[in-house]
Amino acid sequence: AKSKSIKNYILGLESVMQIIGIDCASKAEKTGVAIGEYINHSLSIHYVGMGSKKQSIADLILSKINPEQKTIFAIDAPLGWAA
């Protein structure tokens, strides 16, 4: 099967959806979160921030999104530690 290009994949997305990007770290306060909305082939970023000791990343995300809207998660997680 022929793989789709990223452009073709994006063009095939729903006309409205949330996109959540998470840059994982070993501590919540070092974890980055970006939340945007994709509407009719245009992306706008609504929130960019870091985690904290007082609130879990999951609770932070849930406080910023519409749980009824379709969502894509983009997660960058470290696969190891620097030597």
Side-chain angles (χ1 to χ4, degrees), residues 10-78:
I10 290 171
L11 291 175
L13 294 176
E14 297 285 328
S15 61
V16 176
M17 61 182 8
Q18 297 170 116
I19 299 178
I20 300 170
I22 304 171
D23 185 14
C24 296
S26 60
K27 296 181 181 180
E29 60 271 18
K30 292 186 177 185
T31 298
V33 177
I35 300 173
E37 191 168 43
Y38 177 82
I39 301 174
N40 298 322
H41 307 295
S42 179
L43 176 65
S44 59
I45 305 299
H46 298 288
Y47 174 81
V48 176
M50 303 291 286
S52 72
K53 291 181 180 180
K54 295 180 181 181
Q55 185 179 37
S56 73
I57 296 299
D59 287 339
L60 169 67
I61 291 169
L62 285 172
S63 73
K64 305 285 184 194
I65 66 167
N66 174 356
E68 301 297 319
Q69 193 172 6
K70 289 188 177 186
T71 305
I72 291 178
F73 282 90
I75 301 173
D76 178 21

